[in-house]
Amino acid sequence: MKQATILFIIVIIFYSGFSGCSKPKYDTGILAGTLIDGNGGKPKKNQLILINNGKIEAIKNGDEKDKYQFGNFIDAQDKFVMPGLYDMHGHITMNYRTLNLVNGFPEMNVTYDQPSAEWALNSLLYYGVLSVRETADFLDEGLALQLAVKKGELAGPEIFTCGPLLEFSNPMFKTMSVVVRTPEEARAEVQRESKAGIQFIKVYANMPVDILKVIVDEAHKNKVRVLGHLGATTWTQAIETGIDGLVHSGPYCDLAFTDPHSDTAIRILKLMADKKVANDPTLITKNVINSKYGDSLVKSWPFTVPVETKKGWDQQNKVFSTMFPPGYNFDNELKLNLEYVNMAYRAGVPLLVGSDFNNQNIIPGYSLHQELQLFSDAGIPNDKIIRIATHDAAEWLGVLTQSGTIEKDKNADILILNKNPLENISNTLSIDNVIRRGKVLDRGKLLNKR
């Protein structure tokens, strides 16, 4: 009897151990009280996100959590879980620059500084920006940063990079532009950048439509897309060339949008919607590029801005302040741009969210949240803003099968928030955790790096 009892206990222990070992094990489990997956639908309650090797393997009902083992378990039952953010207009390598007026025209001199670039990468991560579209880079430095992040040699968001700006004549960005004046020069430069491995070509304001058409045609032959910060070429002309994206707001780049309700403006918006030409209006940059808002933004920020970067911002602020007449109504300018964004949204234009960070006063990461707030001020619903800043960005970049939403088989790029961003978009700043490829980042260490 005694032996039978001992044998019974041994059997129970054996099967208990076997049962425990049979539980599937995951690197990380997140129990999400509210899951906002990025697709724009209703949030889901009590969801268990199962992560292995930086990927989301499955999403289960939260009541099933005891069926699994975890290397790291995050209890976010009282929190809000959403995809990592995309900033679709950045300049990681444009981190020290000065501005001068030459015969009344602005001229930028840009110098690359590696520590400042690494500061920008850390700042982006700290604020939950886990992917960034670069829209003008030093070619070699930009590609090197992209590779270093990809290989894990540097901490940073996933980078989709662009080469130097293409300008036509009298370049504004003297040290960060390539001048192309003929079709032959345009084709050669597109081929050079495409061969180097960039993802986009960026055309600047003084480019005429005939050279722009050559650039677009050659880029598309090389399976590269073209973005335009335009001025000499109208948006209608650019769309007719087949351009893929227009950056900055309509009122900033095309006189047709002086009145966003005009017949011409409405026709352009319809054309953009029909041709699926995306636009990142960069509202935050075009309304703090003046000294009115700059100082308060920088003072409210918890990081220490690198000395070289801050020195450049201060110099640019002084010059820009001389370019606006006394009493210039910045509030009316903002109102016009907000109205433009509202019109574009209602017309079905593919909008993207970008901050144009590393312009003066535009803090990498933090400014993206400011841009989200301005989209809300423009009347776009918060659930749509989140979709634009996650799903739609990934879709435009061609990586929606890999990231942009919280779904099975996607990269585990995730934000955990303390407050509900669907109630108030400013709650995207209530970050509790940032998870990059399944790893929880130490935001405190990021904050102290500079």
Side-chain angles (χ1 to χ4, degrees):
M1 185 72 177
K2 186 176 181 182
Q3 287 181 337
T5 302
I6 293 171
L7 180 62
F8 177 75
I9 292 171
I10 289 172
V11 169
I12 292 296
I13 291 172
F14 173 79
Y15 279 105
S16 296
F18 182 81
S19 175
C21 290
S22 69
K23 286 185 178 182
K25 186 171 183 179
Y26 291 89
D27 296 337
T28 302
I30 303 172
L31 182 58
T34 302
L35 174 61
I36 304 165
D37 63 17
N39 284 307
K42 290 184 178 180
K44 301 169 185 174
K45 299 292 186 180
N46 191 33
Q47 298 291 289
L48 180 66
I49 304 167
L50 304 174
I51 299 169
N52 262 341
N53 301 313
K55 294 276 190 181
I56 298 169
E57 285 204 1
I59 301 176
K60 304 284 187 178
N61 186 286
D63 295 338
E64 298 183 32
K65 65 180 175 62
D66 292 335
K67 295 180 180 180
Y68 308 98
Q69 300 179 79
F70 305 102
N72 180 32
F73 181 73
I74 301 172
D75 187 345
Q77 291 183 78
D78 59 343
K79 302 187 190 304
F80 303 84
V81 179
M82 64 173 284
L85 295 165
Y86 286 68
D87 191 326
M88 295 295 279
H89 197 124
H91 300 289
I92 295 169
T93 66
M94 194 187 292
N95 39 46
Y96 176 66
R97 69 188 203 185
T98 55
L99 169 66
N100 295 293
L101 295 179
V102 180
N103 297 322
F105 292 95
E107 182 179 292
M108 293 283 189
N109 287 291
V110 187
T111 304
Y112 179 69
D113 179 62
Q114 178 75 16
S116 294
E118 293 181 20
W119 161 79
L121 293 173
N122 288 324
S123 181
L124 290 162
L125 290 178
Y126 180 84
Y127 282 108
V129 176
L130 301 184
S131 302
V132 61
R133 183 181 74 173
E134 287 284 275
T135 52
D137 266 333
F138 289 104
L139 182 62
D140 294 338
E141 290 84 348
L143 289 169
L145 283 176
Q146 182 186 54
L147 182 61
V149 170
K150 186 175 183 180
K151 292 169 70 174
E153 296 169 356
L154 280 178
E158 184 172 9
I159 300 171
F160 301 85
T161 194
C162 177
L165 295 165
L166 299 193
E167 299 201 58
F168 180 69
S169 61
N170 298 320
M172 179 176 174
F173 287 85
K174 287 282 186 184
T175 57
M176 204 183 201
S177 291
V178 173
V179 174
V180 292
R181 294 189 178 91
T182 67
E184 293 74 23
E185 290 176 350
R187 289 192 191 96
E189 181 57 24
V190 170
Q191 290 168 10
R192 181 181 81 95
E193 294 188 26
S194 301
K195 187 175 181 181
I198 51 84
Q199 285 80 59
F200 321 107
I201 299 288
K202 169 90 173 281
V203 176
Y204 206 59
N206 55 21
M207 189 65 65
V209 65
D210 56 333
I211 303 298
L212 175 61
K213 187 175 190 313
V214 173
I215 292 169
V216 172
D217 288 346
E218 189 62 34
H220 288 175
K221 287 177 186 175
N222 286 273
K223 302 189 186 313
V224 170
R225 284 189 279 184
V226 180
L227 306 173
H229 172 165
L230 302 178
T233 296
T234 68
W235 277 19
T236 298
Q237 290 171 324
I239 295 165
E240 289 172 348
T241 71
I243 201 166
D244 303 285
L246 294 164
V247 305
H248 306 309
S249 67
Y252 182 76
C253 294
D254 193 315
L255 290 174
F257 290 99
T258 303
D259 176 6
H261 296 275
S262 70
D263 291 343
T264 303
I266 291 170
R267 276 198 304 272
I268 296 172
L269 293 174
K270 185 177 186 308
L271 191 59
M272 292 170 70
D274 291 345
K275 299 290 185 181
K276 294 182 169 53
V277 177
N279 174 230
D280 52 294
T282 65
L283 294 168
I284 184 64
T285 300
K286 297 313 164 196
N287 289 283
V288 305
I289 207 166
N290 55 82
S291 57
K292 176 178 179 181
Y293 302 103
D295 287 343
S296 62
L297 285 174
V298 174
K299 287 174 181 174
S300 71
W301 191 57
F303 277 73
T304 299
V305 179
V307 172
E308 291 301 302
T309 301
K310 185 62 166 63
K311 189 190 301 180
W313 289 1
D314 290 342
Q315 190 272 345
Q316 291 172 79
N317 281 332
K318 287 179 183 177
V319 176
F320 268 110
S321 67
T322 69
M323 296 171 63
F324 296 95
Y328 183 80
N329 196 327
F330 291 108
D331 293 332
N332 277 354
E333 180 184 330
L334 175 58
K335 183 178 178 182
L336 174 63
N337 282 284
L338 291 174
E339 183 63 20
Y340 159 77
V341 170
N342 181 278
M343 294 282 293
Y345 171 73
R346 289 193 284 116
V349 172
L351 290 173
L352 300 171
V353 181
S355 68
D356 207 356
F357 66 79
N358 271 339
N359 272 280
Q360 69 271 30
N361 316 317
I362 308 300
I363 298 153
Y366 181 64
S367 54
L368 196 279
H369 295 270
Q370 294 173 302
E371 189 74 10
L372 298 178
Q373 182 62 61
L374 287 168
F375 267 54
S376 180
D377 293 345
I380 301 178
N382 292 339
D383 58 337
K384 301 298 189 254
I385 296 171
I386 291 172
R387 180 184 164 105
I388 289 168
T390 56
H391 174 287
D392 293 0
E395 185 175 43
W396 194 93
L397 291 165
V399 295
L400 186 57
T401 58
Q402 306 162 39
S403 58
T405 60
I406 299 178
E407 294 180 283
K408 185 179 184 298
D409 298 327
K410 298 283 186 84
N411 293 330
D413 288 343
I414 295 170
L415 299 189
I416 300 177
L417 308 177
N418 291 310
K419 298 178 182 179
N420 189 352
L422 296 174
E423 291 181 356
N424 190 325
I425 200 65
S426 67
N427 288 336
T428 56
L429 275 168
S430 68
I431 299 172
D432 184 67
N433 270 311
V434 176
I435 299 167
R436 166 94 162 97
R437 296 295 194 272
K439 294 183 179 179
V440 179
L441 301 183
D442 187 334
R443 295 180 75 226
K445 285 185 178 179
L446 290 170
L447 185 69
N448 294 326
K449 288 182 178 180
R450 58 188 178 91

